[in-house]
Amino acid sequence: MMPSPVRKAAHWAIRGYQLSLSGLVGRQCRHLPSCSEYTDEAIQRHGFWPGGWMGLARICRCGPFGTHGIDLVPETLPEGAAWYKPWAYGRWRGVNAPPISCEAVETDGG
């Protein structure tokens, strides 16, 4: 499936930011992936309108009193989100971290 012209334009605008302004501001994102990578992936996966709102919510959570750590773009759109209530697309609190597997948890040998 070919990405729409709007998605391509958004991708290149984000890429332009990453190659220019991001270097001047410094890498200060508190999340993995970075806010610009998150927004780009959200737009490519879910479309410009929902993905843009997801990215805006992520940027708002990236401040000094916001969230931090691994935060992945959700596989599906949030339940109840619609074009006429765009704020419902974004996660305004918390992160979408991958589940911790049993193998990743270290146990005490005793």
Side-chain angles (χ1 to χ4, degrees):
M1 181 172 100
M2 288 290 296
S4 71
V6 174
R7 288 183 190 189
K8 282 184 183 179
H11 169 75
W12 287 111
I14 291 168
R15 191 68 186 130
Y17 161 78
Q18 290 172 334
L19 295 172
S20 59
L21 295 176
S22 178
L24 296 174
V25 173
R27 295 211 167 263
Q28 300 176 14
C29 191
R30 302 163 47 93
H31 297 97
L32 283 174
S34 70
C35 291
S36 60
E37 292 168 336
Y38 180 97
T39 304
D40 189 29
E41 183 180 340
I43 290 171
Q44 299 311 312
R45 182 178 293 175
H46 300 296
F48 182 74
W49 186 251
W53 280 97
M54 289 175 162
L56 176 65
R58 170 54 136 37
I59 291 166
C60 290
R61 289 185 283 127
C62 197
F65 301 106
T67 59
H68 63 279
I70 297 174
D71 185 22
L72 305 175
V73 175
E75 294 291 326
T76 60
L77 292 174
E79 208 167 298
W83 67 269
Y84 55 86
K85 50 181 185 175
W87 58 87
Y89 289 116
R91 187 179 336 96
W92 299 93
R93 285 180 269 156
V95 296
N96 183 28
I100 299 173
S101 66
C102 292
E103 296 100 32
V105 178
E106 291 186 32
T107 59
D108 188 5

